[in-house]
Amino acid sequence: MFFRSKAKAEAADEPQEEQGFFKRIVSGLVKTRKSLVKRVRKAIRLKAKIDDELLEEIEEILIQSDVGMETTLKIIEDLRLESSSADAPELILTRLKQSIEGILLKNERLFEVPADTKPFVVIMVGVNGSGKTTTIGKIAQKLVAEGKKVMLVAGDTFRAAAIEQLCIWGERTGAQVVKSEMNADAAAVCYRALEEAQTNGTDVVLIDTAGRLHTKRHLMDELEKIVRVIKKTMPDAPHETILVLDATTGQNALNQAKIFGEKSGVTGMIMTKLDGTAKGGVLIGLRDRFATPVLMIGVGEGADDLRPFNPHEFIEALFSEEEDVEEA
Ligand SMILES: Nc1nc2c(ncn2[C@@H]2O[C@H](COP(=O)(O)OP(=O)(O)O)[C@@H](O)[C@H]2O)c(=O)[nH]1
Ligand SMILES: [Mg+2]
């Protein structure tokens, strides 16, 4: 089923496809694993016992992996409370894993399109370059493959390239694209799109939006206007407002989550580009500090590299002992 995944990709009788996806996450997290878990392993190897020095080293590693100060201190406190100097240093790794898992396992929810809501309206928000348009394309590809009728709405009317990019995804996936001229009113495009979607049997509407800096009031006003206009045609829409965050921006992603979350009624988050960065620890900080669920993660450029966020899978991949091939 779309965007459902197994709790753990471990059993030998697991379908091959699932194992393949797990491997993708393992390889997608190579840089973060190296900056976080491998360094902790190394620190432990040099120690005879668990002491303040080891905890301080782990603290530094977590901060450098972009987990964030607040969450790091919480984890270190966890480790301190549970450990005594009589414990073997290896135990700290198991406890670190448990502590992080405790943070990740909350408010879990998958992205699902309910059969009784038609059209199901999804709006993507986030700063420029975070991966909104690409993520829409990847989602569209999967939904179309499932036999759903999908409409893409070019609500980013500020850049011709953005409209063009969405059209390419439309051609690639067979999804309908509703667009207008550059600089046209984004809310008007959305209104027109929704009216059509309600009459032409569309199952899912994916709305792309502009992402100029979130500090600019104008962007938030525009998003609010889009939502207002959507509600005029479909009072219960949008059904999902998804904030797309780029993992490579590290702590900045936390700021964006705060600002967008406050202003635009975000119901779920997607973290992209986990493959390109050693800053994947930011996902741990994000789960710790915000109640909004992470619905999916992006671990590469391909459509299959957008995966449902499964905390167990994530943690197993992060702590995997897979010999990593050195990446450039
Ligand atoms: N490596 C990697 N690149 C990604 C991922 N998601 C998006 N990108 C790339 O990030 C860039 C910006 O994406 P785009 O969708 O245009 O961002 P937008 O401005 O928010 O719409 C593009 O080059 C995408 O291919 C991901 O999960 N991994
Ligand atoms: Mg875009």
Side-chain angles (χ1 to χ4, degrees):
M1 195 205 277
F2 177 51
F3 282 9
R4 280 228 174 269
S5 78
K6 287 270 172 68
K8 271 184 191 168
E10 48 166 20
D13 59 355
E14 192 99 9
Q16 278 213 324
E17 200 186 26
E18 284 297 330
Q19 282 185 19
F21 285 140
F22 181 66
K23 282 208 182 100
R24 276 190 133 95
I25 294 178
V26 170
S27 72
L29 291 179
V30 58
K31 288 183 182 167
T32 299
R33 187 164 51 250
K34 204 179 281 176
S35 94
L36 203 161
V37 175
K38 283 199 161 182
R39 283 177 62 204
V40 172
R41 279 211 178 92
K42 201 169 155 202
I44 289 168
R45 237 177 279 136
L46 304 169
K47 287 280 174 188
K49 61 178 172 36
I50 298 175
D51 55 15
D52 283 346
E53 201 183 279
L54 177 60
L55 289 173
E56 269 163 36
E57 252 175 86
I58 295 175
E59 181 179 321
E60 203 179 306
I61 293 169
L62 292 175
I63 287 169
Q64 283 169 2
S65 308
D66 263 279
V67 171
M69 183 64 87
E70 207 176 305
T71 307
T72 294
L73 293 180
K74 198 185 269 186
I75 294 172
I76 295 298
E77 195 49 32
D78 249 16
L79 298 181
R80 197 186 301 278
L81 285 174
E82 284 183 37
S83 303
S84 87
S85 56
D87 292 341
E90 291 74 32
L91 276 176
I92 207 98
L93 197 68
T94 316
R95 287 174 189 156
L96 177 64
K97 192 174 167 184
Q98 283 167 351
S99 178
I100 294 176
E101 191 156 28
I103 288 171
L104 296 181
L105 286 171
K106 66 166 193 189
N107 302 342
E108 281 180 79
R109 179 168 76 77
L110 293 172
F111 174 81
E112 273 179 311
V113 176
D116 58 353
T117 310
K118 193 173 165 173
F120 188 70
V121 180
V122 182
I123 173 163
M124 289 293 174
V125 301
V127 302
N128 261 344
S130 59
K132 293 180 296 298
T133 309
T134 312
T135 301
I136 284 178
K138 289 173 176 176
I139 293 175
Q141 188 149 323
K142 298 200 188 193
L143 291 171
V144 169
E146 274 184 3
K148 294 208 161 57
K149 187 169 160 62
V150 178
M151 175 189 282
L152 311 181
V153 185
D156 180 354
T157 54
F158 282 88
R159 295 175 303 163
I163 301 172
E164 178 64 19
Q165 196 185 354
L166 205 67
C167 289
I168 292 170
W169 276 108
E171 276 163 30
R172 200 180 287 168
T173 61
Q176 180 189 359
V177 178
V178 175
K179 58 173 179 168
S180 65
E181 296 306 309
M182 209 176 99
N183 292 324
D185 180 19
V189 184
C190 295
Y191 186 81
R192 181 158 56 84
L194 269 198
E195 278 205 320
E196 185 173 345
Q198 282 175 298
T199 55
N200 78 354
T202 297
D203 296 302
V204 187
V205 179
L206 302 171
I207 300 174
D208 197 13
T209 63
R212 286 146 308 138
L213 272 183
H214 53 77
T215 43
K216 292 197 180 140
R217 235 196 101 68
H218 188 68
L219 169 62
M220 293 300 172
D221 288 348
E222 184 180 286
L223 286 176
E224 276 170 23
K225 186 174 169 199
I226 289 176
V227 170
R228 250 192 341 262
V229 160
I230 288 173
K231 286 193 185 302
K232 268 190 202 156
T233 40
M234 253 188 116
D236 62 331
H239 306 100
E240 288 273 20
T241 300
I242 300 180
L243 173 61
V244 180
L245 298 167
D246 173 351
T248 66
T249 64
Q251 294 301 290
N252 229 325
L254 295 181
N255 283 334
Q256 288 162 25
K258 188 165 182 294
I259 291 164
F260 274 95
E262 279 169 0
K263 300 260 178 174
S264 42
V266 171
T267 57
M269 304 194 273
I270 293 179
M271 182 157 268
T272 62
K273 308 188 206 178
L274 276 162
D275 52 304
T277 184
K279 297 177 178 174
V282 67
L283 182 60
I284 301 164
L286 188 72
R287 288 309 288 123
D288 183 37
R289 303 217 358 231
F290 299 92
T292 314
V294 170
L295 305 177
M296 297 174 225
I297 54 173
V299 290
E301 304 255 14
D304 279 345
D305 295 320
L306 181 69
R307 304 291 306 147
F309 174 61
N310 177 323
H312 295 292
E313 212 172 58
F314 183 85
I315 202 105
E316 289 307 323
L318 189 61
F319 281 78
S320 145
E321 292 188 58
E322 189 101 345
E323 260 325 300
D324 296 323
V325 183
E326 201 71 29
E327 288 214 335

